[in-house]
Amino acid sequence: MAHVLPDLPYDFAALEPYIDEQTMRLHHGKHHAAYVNNLNGALAAYPELAAKTIEHLLTKIDAVPADIRQTVINNGGGHANHDLFWTIMAPPGKGGGGEPAGKLAEAIQSTFGGFAKLKETLNKAATSRFGSGWAWLVVDDKRKLQVYSTANQDSPLMQGHTPILGLDVWEHAYYLKYQNRRPDYIDAWWNVVKWPAVAERFAKAS
Ligand code: MN3
């Protein structure tokens, strides 16, 4: 059973003006699609692994044969990370924007000292990531929230953490509209974060 590129849950232009249509088309239809194709290519020689979910493969990455392990880290990570990314965003006013509520808001308060502090911490992780990578809000193995960044397509799943919010800071995610102004892209992105989806992931992970 091959991995498939999921459809976007909204139109390519739906996140305008914060994330532009052309970026969304290329990001989803070229970048994410390539991760899926490369992952399937690597797994073709290992039918028993091809039947596993991507979450399973990344969580147990040491069990993946050495000859395809880095390919699975890069392309399987790329697939899982983008799968999350599309679903934790929504058009402003249609689920996107605003602030977290409920138990997630309580956990953010007790861990970071409030939403403003969480934003500050995640913004710092995202702006200071050198080169390509992601900034994350995760539920760690002790069921606590943590913010950090990873390089390339490295998934928090590989260290036993469950990502509940992820921000792609590869240049392909923002360069067409924001060029070198990564901080402007990060500021804009908060307007399309779909907190109910993050809260759902938080509830499942904790
Ligand atoms: Mn990307």
Side-chain angles (χ1 to χ4, degrees), residues 16-20 23 173-181 188:
E16 294 265 12
Y18 305 107
I19 303 180
D20 61 289
T23 294
Y174 63 87
Y175 205 87
L176 289 179
K177 182 175 173 74
Y178 296 95
Q179 291 81 48
N180 61 325
R181 304 186 307 278

Side-chain angles (χ1 to χ4, degrees), residues 27 35 82 134 153 168 170 172-173:
H27 200 173
Y35 297 129
H82 289 85
W134 290 73
Q153 295 294 353
D168 190 341
W170 283 58
H172 68 225

Side-chain angles (χ1 to χ4, degrees), residues 72-88:
V72 171
I73 289 171
N74 293 344
N75 294 280
H79 176 34
N81 295 342
H82 289 85
D83 211 17
L84 176 146
F85 190 52
W86 311 133
T87 56
I88 57 85

Side-chain angles (χ1 to χ4, degrees), residues 115-189:
F115 179 53
K117 287 284 183 194
L118 165 70
K119 273 179 84 167
E120 199 181 307
T121 308
L122 200 133
N123 285 353
K124 194 172 173 193
T127 48
S128 61
R129 161 56 49 198
F130 183 75
S132 298
W134 290 73
W136 300 104
L137 175 64
V138 305
V139 177
D140 71 14
D141 47 335
K142 299 186 178 66
R143 298 188 177 182
K144 295 288 186 195
L145 290 175
Q146 273 194 54
V147 165
Y148 54 79
S149 81
T150 59
N152 305 314
Q153 295 294 353
D154 291 1
S155 167
L157 292 167
M158 294 193 296
Q159 44 184 316
H161 298 172
T162 305
I164 62 170
L165 177 67
L167 170 56
D168 190 341
V169 293
W170 283 58
E171 284 187 344
H172 68 225
Y174 63 87
Y175 205 87
L176 289 179
K177 182 175 173 74
Y178 296 95
Q179 291 81 48
N180 61 325
R181 304 186 307 278
R182 187 191 286 185
D184 291 357
Y185 157 68
I186 295 168
D187 281 345
W189 172 77

Side-chain angles (χ1 to χ4, degrees), residues 41-59:
L43 293 175
Y46 297 94
E48 74 286 1
L49 290 182
K52 307 283 191 195
T53 66
I54 189 55
E55 289 78 14
H56 177 101
L57 292 176
L58 292 169
T59 303

